[in-house]
Amino acid sequence: MSKAKPKTHVDKTPNTSLSTAPEIPFLWDKTKETILIITKARENKLVCYTRQITEWLVTTPRFDKKYPFIVYVDAHLEQSKIFDYKSFKENNSELANRIKFWTPKLCQNNPGLFDLIITAMLFTSWLFQSKVPPIMPFHLGSLSFLTPFYYKSFREELDALFGSNRIDKTVRMRLSCTVYRFQESTSPSPQRRVRQNSITGELWTKNMSPHNSPSLVDKWSLLETAWMRQQLYSRLENIPPDREEFIEDHVRCYTTWPSETFEVLNEIVVDRGPSAYMSALELFGDERHLTTVQADGLCIATPTGSTAYSLSANGSLTHPDVRCILVTPICPHTLSFRPMMLPDSMSIRIVVPLSSRETAYCSFDGRNRVELKKGDHVKITASQYALPTICNINTSNDWFMSLQKCLQWNVRQRQKSFVVVESCEKDLANSSSLSEKDNLFACIQSRLKNNSTTAQNQDTEDDDNNENAAWDLLPWSEQELRRDKLKETP
């Protein structure tokens, strides 16, 4: 009689990878009326722009309404002299009632309150750590790689958005990053016996049976991470080296618990911090040990973040429609560690081994830098909270336009042809400079030239009065931006 096959374990954990189409049509719902404007701090010119957009949104009749929208602006602008909210209250109290003020806590606790966000994207992603309303990004920063819209034409762009035409919307992938802390447990079970190599500092461990029965005791294996109970290195023996190389046996219990979680749009970076030593990190993919990273650090990026820190570390440029996770080493001490693109369904862990010389540091989109001590690790997965952005034309066109305009992607003078054609002296003189056709890329539409001229005029606009003046809008402090941490229970 044949034995029944054992039942295989089926992982019923929902896949958090994005299964929706990256680019979907967007049609404005006329019943929606709440708009959030996030203004960059320390830019008095942008405070003026915020007042103009706010007044235009509220006072322009639309959808059979005299005041069609409720507009939320930064709470610091309530006392701003440039924004001058008092003039709204004095001249039109009904208009003033349609202008409200947001704080970081309001956005964090009520993400569904807003129907549209007008701003740049990175700070918005940090402000909304769960559901994110659609974002219409305007070119108001320095590089402005992710902002295809220009302030000079905000009336035409918003009219088109609120009209009956369908507009493309890009769903940008984000990463969910959870920091796990290592600690010894006071629980009496399960216990592990731990040995430390006095030469290399490596830790070896095995489970202890309830009654120390030899038949129930696990074999010795390396303890490189506290959360992984299986053997991690097939190339290592199960029995430790000679006993004289080890310190005295001792019993130790350990556990890990989640400390905090961040949703990032660009990248998470784990680096050596202020230490002079290079980082030693263990990289895992779907609980499988991939490699030991010996470098200045490791950058885990989204396709959107492929043009940020990952690009500086020689990572690949990745189209926003590609659903993947980019793994890019930072100054690796090896010639063979190349950047990788992993599927977004893969769960990644970066661990600081217990045998590491120093601790590591981790930052999320350049914010909330935290220290990872020995035994700590960070788990990275595709977030279920994507970030939707309104397209100017479509995803591909906007992305390639930004590459060519902001990063000057593959810009080079065209090589001269071997064909020699007789021409007049006037043609020869003109041939020394590139023609307009040679300077433009085929995929860029004619509106790029107009937008570039508009952006140049906008950037060179005279702002001498504001340069010497005090900033009218100050940024939110770290204490005001601080989110409530997860309950720290072992």
Side-chain angles (χ1 to χ4, degrees):
M1 186 173 181
S2 60
K3 295 182 180 181
K5 294 183 178 180
K7 295 182 179 180
T8 57
H9 173 70
V10 178
D11 188 3
K12 297 183 179 181
T13 304
N15 188 358
T16 58
S17 60
L18 302 175
S19 58
T20 56
E23 183 178 305
I24 57 178
F26 176 78
L27 182 62
W28 180 260
D29 186 353
K30 297 181 180 180
T31 61
K32 297 180 178 180
E33 61 175 9
T34 306
I35 298 177
L36 173 68
I37 300 179
I38 300 179
T39 309
K40 182 181 177 181
R42 297 193 178 99
E43 287 282 351
N44 290 345
K45 178 175 62 177
L46 300 186
V47 177
C48 298
Y49 292 166
T50 301
R51 176 184 171 89
Q52 294 175 13
I53 296 177
T54 301
E55 189 173 6
W56 181 83
L57 286 171
V58 175
T59 60
T60 303
R62 201 184 305 271
F63 312 134
D64 298 329
K65 300 177 182 178
K66 183 179 179 180
Y67 301 115
F69 296 113
I70 298 175
V71 179
Y72 280 79
V73 297
D74 195 305
H76 293 140
L77 295 179
E78 187 173 6
Q79 306 300 327
S80 168
K81 296 180 180 179
I82 299 177
F83 188 77
D84 196 11
Y85 177 67
K86 293 182 179 180
S87 65
F88 286 115
K89 297 175 64 176
E90 295 173 357
N91 298 331
N92 191 331
S93 60
E94 187 177 359
L95 172 62
N97 292 334
R98 307 295 288 184
I99 301 175
K100 300 183 181 297
F101 301 94
W102 62 265
T103 62
K105 292 296 182 182
L106 176 66
C107 298
Q108 294 164 7
N109 299 330
N110 302 278
L113 175 64
F114 311 104
D115 303 314
L116 177 69
I117 301 177
I118 299 177
T119 182
M121 281 196 291
L122 197 57
F123 180 72
T124 304
S125 173
W126 185 255
L127 203 57
F128 290 84
Q129 289 286 288
S130 56
K131 178 183 176 182
V132 186
I135 300 174
M136 191 169 189
F138 278 86
H139 183 115
L140 295 174
S142 54
L143 184 62
S144 299
F145 184 86
L146 301 176
T147 53
F149 298 99
Y150 294 90
Y151 170 77
K152 293 293 184 180
S153 59
F154 79 86
R155 295 176 178 83
E156 294 79 5
E157 302 293 357
L158 289 173
D159 281 336
L161 176 68
F162 299 138
S164 58
N165 298 329
R166 290 183 177 270
I167 299 177
D168 289 334
K169 179 177 68 173
T170 301
V171 180
R172 296 183 180 271
M173 171 184 170
R174 292 202 294 178
L175 297 176
S176 180
C177 310
T178 304
V179 176
Y180 287 81
R181 298 298 185 182
F182 167 82
Q183 71 174 16
E184 294 189 18
S185 174
T186 58
S187 174
S189 64
Q191 287 188 336
R192 282 177 175 259
R193 185 175 294 278
V194 179
R195 289 177 176 178
Q196 185 176 22
N197 190 308
S198 59
I199 299 177
T200 64
E202 292 178 340
L203 294 177
W204 291 74
T205 181
K206 67 177 180 179
N207 285 335
M208 294 183 58
S209 63
H211 304 290
N212 291 329
S213 173
S215 60
L216 299 178
V217 177
D218 290 348
K219 295 182 180 180
W220 287 99
S221 60
L222 269 179
L223 174 61
E224 285 295 342
T225 59
W227 52 270
M228 182 72 73
R229 298 188 62 183
Q230 64 184 10
Q231 296 180 15
L232 304 180
Y233 304 100
S234 59
R235 59 181 173 84
L236 297 175
E237 298 291 340
N238 289 330
I239 302 176
D242 297 337
R243 288 289 299 268
E244 56 267 17
E245 295 182 357
F246 284 78
I247 62 177
E248 295 182 0
D249 294 358
H250 56 283
V251 177
R252 186 183 297 175
C253 305
Y254 58 82
T255 183
T256 58
W257 45 271
S259 173
E260 46 195 345
T261 301
F262 304 95
E263 310 292 325
V264 300
L265 176 64
N266 277 351
E267 74 280 312
I268 169 178
V269 176
V270 182
D271 57 58
R272 64 181 185 175
S275 172
Y277 300 101
M278 66 179 176
S279 298
L281 305 171
E282 303 294 344
L283 178 64
F284 295 86
D286 286 340
E287 315 306 335
R288 180 186 186 277
H289 183 257
L290 301 181
T291 187
T292 299
V293 179
Q294 298 183 90
D296 279 354
L298 200 58
C299 176
I300 310 297
T302 64
T304 299
S306 67
T307 54
Y309 199 146
S310 178
L311 175 66
S312 301
N314 292 326
S316 173
L317 293 174
T318 308
H319 193 282
D321 287 354
V322 179
R323 289 295 182 256
C324 65
I325 300 176
L326 283 73
V327 179
T328 307
I330 303 172
C331 297
H333 197 251
T334 175
L335 298 177
S336 58
F337 194 175
R338 307 303 302 163
M340 296 185 299
M341 295 174 62
L342 303 178
D344 65 339
S345 59
M346 180 174 287
S347 173
I348 298 176
R349 294 181 191 261
I350 303 175
V351 188
V352 181
L354 296 172
S355 59
S356 176
R357 290 187 176 184
E358 296 288 344
T359 61
Y361 283 79
C362 186
S363 60
F364 310 87
D365 277 343
R367 292 177 175 269
N368 269 57
R369 190 169 176 83
V370 298
E371 183 181 10
L372 297 179
K373 298 181 180 180
K374 298 178 182 180
D376 294 347
H377 75 277
V378 56
K379 180 181 178 181
I380 305 164
T381 58
S383 174
Q384 59 179 325
Y385 302 110
L387 187 139
T389 60
I390 307 299
C391 297
N392 189 356
I393 301 174
N394 55 57
T395 302
S396 293
N397 198 294
D398 290 356
W399 189 68
F400 280 107
M401 284 176 61
S402 295
L403 280 182
Q404 295 154 357
K405 176 182 175 294
C406 299
L407 298 181
Q408 299 294 303
W409 176 62
N410 199 32
V411 172
R412 181 189 184 277
Q413 184 174 350
R414 186 182 293 272
Q415 189 178 33
K416 294 181 179 180
S417 173
F418 285 130
V419 179
V420 179
V421 181
E422 294 183 0
S423 58
C424 62
E425 294 182 358
K426 182 178 180 181
D427 294 335
L428 289 175
N430 293 334
S431 65
S432 60
S433 59
L434 290 174
S435 64
E436 180 181 359
K437 180 179 179 180
D438 292 335
N439 282 329
L440 293 179
F441 293 84
C443 64
I444 302 183
Q445 300 188 7
S446 59
R447 66 185 299 177
L448 175 61
K449 181 178 179 181
N450 297 331
N451 287 339
S452 300
T453 305
T454 303
Q456 184 177 4
N457 294 335
Q458 177 180 336
D459 294 336
T460 57
E461 184 180 270
D462 185 17
D463 195 23
D464 294 337
N465 294 331
N466 291 331
E467 288 182 356
N468 298 323
W471 303 122
D472 204 62
L473 175 59
L474 296 177
W476 295 95
S477 66
E478 292 297 330
Q479 183 177 1
E480 293 171 324
L481 290 172
R482 188 174 302 158
R483 301 183 294 114
D484 297 332
K485 294 185 178 180
L486 298 176
K487 186 178 181 181
E488 300 180 355
T489 55

